[in-house]
Amino acid sequence: TTIITSSLSLSHINPQNGSPCMVNVSNKVPTKRTAIARAIISLPKSVNEHIFEQQGTREKNSDIMTPKGAVFHTAIIAGVLGAKKTSELIPFCHPLAIEDCQIRIQISNQKNQITNERIEISLECEVVTTGKTGVEMEAWTGASVASLCIVDMCKSLTQDITIDKIFLVKKTGGKSDFS
């Protein structure tokens, strides 16, 4: 058995009895909080070919049309809704009054060494509030839900879709900033 000792502790674990708990933020002063999470989604070359066949030429960052509709426009709506619903999905997240949520989506072609050429979609979710707790989980959830929406809307074109990573890019407000 390995015992790891650290001065760090898990914020959602009651140190007296080890049971899960919500963090008490009642004594905190409200401050402006921001967070940006990014997701990277990879699609095969066949989706790129579908875009060219459908639109003739593809402008950078133009939407992908599928039988379900405009992929990026739908993902933006889904991502904002996901950010707003975070406290309903993640048990110990506090319900927050989100003051702004922006989803930004960019397409780029990249050479992939394993498979020929893939489309890489970079999706960012930026969330802002004034409150007693941060909005990192809302940004993570917004980016996750928007990414899953892209997968759902493109799966009729291919099953070869990956969400390669989702990560926190930046956080401001509260005890510490991160970037």
Side-chain angles (χ1 to χ4, degrees):
T1 303
T2 304
I3 299 173
I4 300 172
T5 59
S6 171
S7 61
L8 299 176
S9 63
L10 297 173
S11 60
H12 294 289
I13 301 295
N14 183 322
Q16 281 79 38
N17 61 21
S19 64
C21 64
M22 183 175 254
V23 174
N24 183 350
V25 297
S26 61
N27 292 325
K28 288 186 172 185
V29 176
T31 59
K32 182 178 180 183
R33 313 288 185 118
T34 65
I36 301 172
R38 181 178 298 145
I40 306 297
I41 303 113
S42 177
L43 300 137
K45 188 177 181 179
S46 61
V47 175
N48 200 22
E49 292 166 357
H50 171 78
I51 295 167
F52 278 109
E53 287 173 15
Q54 189 178 53
Q55 298 175 348
T57 60
R58 178 171 66 92
E59 295 177 24
K60 189 169 176 68
N61 302 327
S62 62
D63 210 333
I64 301 170
M65 295 301 294
T66 69
K68 290 186 175 187
V71 174
F72 297 156
H73 286 95
T74 307
I76 289 167
I77 295 166
V80 171
L81 182 60
K84 290 168 61 174
K85 298 282 189 179
T86 299
S87 67
E88 294 176 34
L89 300 169
I90 310 298
F92 296 124
C93 281
H94 295 85
L96 298 177
I98 292 176
E99 296 167 356
D100 191 22
C101 182
Q102 299 293 320
I103 306 286
R104 294 179 289 275
I105 301 173
Q106 291 186 322
I107 302 173
S108 67
N109 287 338
Q110 70 165 18
K111 278 290 187 189
N112 186 314
Q113 293 177 357
I114 298 169
T115 60
N116 295 329
E117 189 174 300
R118 295 184 64 84
I119 299 170
E120 184 179 271
I121 299 170
S122 175
L123 181 150
E124 283 190 349
C125 177
E126 181 172 6
V127 182
V128 178
T129 194
T130 303
K132 297 180 176 190
T133 187
V135 288
E136 301 92 74
M137 291 308 299
E138 286 72 13
W140 278 79
T141 304
S144 299
V145 171
S147 298
L148 289 170
C149 183
I150 289 172
V151 171
D152 179 54
M153 300 220 28
C154 290
K155 69 183 182 200
S156 66
L157 302 175
T158 181
Q159 296 291 319
D160 183 18
I161 305 169
T162 60
I163 300 173
D164 295 330
K165 54 185 164 181
I166 301 173
F167 56 98
L168 187 66
V169 174
K170 183 178 181 181
K171 162 210 160 337
T172 63
K175 283 190 220 177
S176 62
D177 291 347
F178 171 83
S179 61

